[in-house]
Amino acid sequence: MDKIWEEMYAAAKAVQNDREISGYVSAGGVAAAIYSVSGKIYTGVCIDTCSTLGICGERNAIFNMITNGENAFTRVLAIMPDGKGGAPCGACRELMVQLMPDTYKDVEILMDYETERVVKLGVITPEWWI
């Protein structure tokens, strides 16, 4: 595992704190980290609500990056509640594609930390609807 993935995993793990915010909102079951083109790591956690107002950890991390003045990244990972990785959902993929329509296919996704399995966003999202 290369150092950047290790740092991203540690950063996401540090913010993953599954908790109930209220009877209607929970947060932190899934944590994510993205690696920006400038070399910074941004994190986010999922926020689940009883309606459709929630947000995935990956999109939260992307919004954190945008809030901090950047708009492109090269790597993404998510840590599920069981500590394993997983693929971004359709909404997260769609945001990534819209954010970087010319370069999204090259974004690396760490699917499994233990086996070091990495896939490109272009492999799991080969065709864009626009």
Side-chain angles (χ1 to χ4, degrees):
M1 181 65 51
D2 77 28
K3 184 178 183 234
I4 295 169
W5 285 123
E6 290 175 356
E7 290 174 1
M8 290 174 65
Y9 187 88
K13 199 69 176 157
V15 298
Q16 187 176 33
N17 176 18
D18 194 6
R19 62 203 179 275
E20 186 173 309
I21 305 296
S22 75
Y24 306 102
V25 178
S26 63
V30 174
I34 60 171
Y35 187 74
S36 74
V37 295
S38 75
K40 293 182 182 172
I41 295 172
Y42 295 95
T43 59
V45 298
C46 68
I47 301 172
D48 295 312
T49 70
C50 67
S51 64
T52 60
L53 299 176
I55 189 81
C56 296
E58 297 95 313
R59 282 182 284 149
N60 200 344
I62 291 168
F63 296 152
N64 183 6
M65 175 192 69
I66 291 170
T67 298
N68 283 282
E70 297 196 62
N71 60 5
F73 59 97
T74 59
R75 294 180 174 196
V76 62
L77 68 78
I79 304 173
M80 303 303 153
D82 64 2
K84 298 194 181 285
C89 73
C92 291
R93 294 180 202 188
E94 180 64 27
L95 176 63
M96 292 180 211
V97 172
Q98 289 186 30
L99 184 61
M100 302 183 314
D102 297 326
T103 58
Y104 82 91
K105 289 185 177 182
D106 295 325
V107 171
E108 294 179 324
I109 300 168
L110 183 64
M111 301 290 286
D112 188 321
Y113 187 78
E114 292 174 0
T115 65
E116 301 181 18
R117 181 172 173 242
V118 175
V119 299
K120 297 238 177 155
L121 184 56
V123 171
I124 63 171
T125 311
E127 305 267 341
W128 188 33
W129 64 274
I130 291 182

